[in-house]
């Protein structure tokens, strides 16, 4: 996705102070497709997780958004997901998780989370 390739696009949305606006943005189909793209991930995520406070909470919320993505986020609103869509979604989500796992210092930054944040990340389905 071209939008997902914009440097720090997702990070910028996470840093929007208006929580209602931020949540509305992350519920939009376009943005859900953007965050499904592995191009939307960057080292900014590690830095946000290390930051502490509100910035860390937003990074944790982002990880929860990732875990809640589903095949319907890839198809048009009025379309029914077909087997090909499901397979493509599974490939994209696997690639996305691989990029997150491959970020340098992602594990140490997650180990430094407070108990509540760590639990949120661990239990996100």
């Amino acid at each position: 996705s071209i939008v997902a390739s914009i440097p720090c696009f997702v990070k910028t949305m996470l840093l929007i102070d208006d929580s209602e606006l931020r949540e509305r943005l992350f519920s939009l189909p376009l943005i859900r497709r953007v965050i499904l793209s592995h191009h939307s991930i960057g080292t900014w995520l590690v830095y946000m997780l290390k930051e502490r406070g509100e910035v860390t909470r937003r990074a944790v919320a982002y990880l929860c958004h990732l875990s809640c993505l589903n095949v319907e986020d890839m198809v048009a609103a009025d379309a029914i997901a077909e087997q090909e869509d499901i397979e493509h979604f599974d490939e994209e989500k696997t690639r996305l998780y691989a990029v997150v796992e491959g970020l340098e210092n992602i594990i140490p930054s997650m180990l430094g989370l407070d108990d509540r944040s760590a639990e949120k990340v661990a239990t996100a389905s």
Side-chain angles (χ1 to χ4, degrees):
S1 163
I2 293 172
V3 176
S5 298
I6 297 172
C8 298
F9 179 74
V10 174
K11 174 187 174 188
T12 301
M13 288 192 318
L14 288 168
L15 294 176
I16 293 172
D17 284 331
D18 184 331
S19 61
E20 186 177 313
L21 173 61
R22 190 174 56 253
E23 287 307 313
R24 273 190 290 149
L25 285 171
F26 276 94
S27 70
L28 293 172
L30 171 66
I31 301 307
R32 296 194 57 81
R33 282 191 292 276
V34 165
I35 65 174
L36 181 57
S37 171
H38 66 280
H39 296 292
S40 69
I41 302 289
T43 55
W44 56 265
L45 180 57
V46 173
Y47 296 118
M48 286 183 73
L49 288 167
K50 288 180 178 180
E51 188 68 28
R52 303 296 166 247
E54 183 60 28
V55 173
T56 298
R57 283 189 287 282
R58 292 181 190 183
V60 168
Y62 169 72
L63 291 171
C64 291
H65 281 297
L66 292 184
S67 70
C68 292
L69 293 171
N70 58 57
V71 69
E72 285 79 23
D73 294 317
M74 285 188 63
V75 297
D78 57 349
I80 296 172
E82 297 181 8
Q83 185 61 36
E84 182 179 315
D85 297 319
I86 294 167
E87 291 170 4
H88 182 65
F89 170 77
D90 288 341
E91 290 169 8
E92 286 299 313
K93 198 160 184 181
T94 298
R95 187 176 303 135
L96 177 69
Y97 285 177
V99 170
V100 172
E101 291 170 5
L103 289 171
E104 188 173 339
N105 293 319
I106 190 71
I107 300 300
S109 67
M110 293 178 86
L111 290 173
L113 294 174
D114 61 62
D115 291 344
R116 185 169 183 225
S117 295
E119 183 177 341
K120 274 183 136 179
V121 170
T123 59
S125 57

